[in-house]
Amino acid sequence: MDVTRRAFVGLAPAVGVALTAGASEIATPLRSASRVHALDGGIHAASADGRRDVELVAKEGWVDLAGSRGWLLAFNGQVPGPLIELAAGDDVRIRLTNQLAEPTNLHFHGLHVPPDGTADNIFLELSPGEAVTYAFRVPASHPAGLYWLHPHLHGLVARQVSLGLAAPVVIRGALDAVAEVAAAREQFLVLQDFELDRSGRPVDPGGRALMAGREGSIVTVSGQRRPAYTIERDGLLRLRLLNASVSRFYRLSLEGHPLHLIATDGGSLASPETLDELLLAPGERRDVLIQGSRDGGSYRLMNLPYNRGSAGMMMGGVVGADSPFELATVVYEGRAASPVDIPQVLGEVERLPAGPVSRTFVLSEAMGMMPGRGMGMRFLINGREFDHARTDARVRLGAVEDWEYVNTTGMDHPMHVHTNAFQRVGPDGQADPAWLDGVVVPARGRVRIRIRFTDFAGMTVQHCHILDHEDLGMMSTVLIEG
């Protein structure tokens, strides 16, 4: 359906009211108690008619945050927003009401759904006081995994996400049915950071912070500071990790325990990968299993220092090099009725074959005007700032392509592609069988990915997920032609 942004918004209130009548609410809050962040009732089956209806209200106001109050932007009055649980094949209706004093919209980060019409269309603009119903069907073949939604109105993305507008989305499937995974205690950890003054009001980050990518001094895990998660001796704990911060990288390590990685952005691995630490860039998601191998005690989930590059003298030098600090704790409580081991096999994962087309995207920076702030740094892809009216790349539906990102700047750029997941390509030319929708392109480095364009034609985008860099130009359009 060809719908202009204004015509679509004009239709929204009438459509939304019709869909809301008798709707079943499946947006589940992440509880505020420090030890409780799992879904109520465990795994929810799809509704009888395969339909999901959700009400979201974006509003500014006082929100409970980490045991205090913050003047933030929130979905349904909570930060992070409510957990939305879906199943492959569901017909989804998400009615967003904008009670902010500025325009907004939604992006369904990582979901493989249409990039236009009433689905994952980031070119829609919802004015203050308006409501719109996003409507799409989750493909029956959609992989299980952790995804999320957040605003994506160019120029306001970093501001709105940094002030709290983010909500996790989970799709259930085959990975959840693996016996050991099903037996694990499940917790959702949404990582966010904020910069508030003593009264709880947001602090303007300033031009230098925008150019480097803002990081807040208040770091929260599902709205809490240093929450505790329980694990049974001989049991498993499943941590579902989402980096919903604007710019901060999290380098995670759990005292006394390895992290058994079982899923990436786009779903399950074929078998677990055992890690001492895990790097989580902005926008990325990972699932890890923790085995209750200790006799008892409390163990800290640490964020270790990570230097994401040098922003140069104008932007304040090195960025992102924190001292270590505690994010959460894992506390032993009780013993499993019978020992549960780490699974050996999780499922089959396709490895993409090489395609005939290869493209190069050069990431660079240049001086330019920063809106409302005078001269500053702008960020470019192939020498150009984002322009929604320009088509930067044309690809064919069904094609497989190799893309190479070349980073000429002194900072890491985590590149995110909408609509279709991809795999990273190694030095041997083989794709790593792990599905991603974001990849870190290191400072002065290069990365190659392999991507297949399936199911949906339309205009989509790729961009740096340091969201200040996206707002300052580092985004480009990709037209998928059917």
Side-chain angles (χ1 to χ4, degrees), residues 49 243 246:
D49 59 357
N243 184 351
V246 167

Side-chain angles (χ1 to χ4, degrees), residues 216-227:
S217 59
I218 301 170
V219 180
T220 64
V221 181
S222 298
Q224 300 295 306
R225 271 193 165 178
R226 296 182 292 278

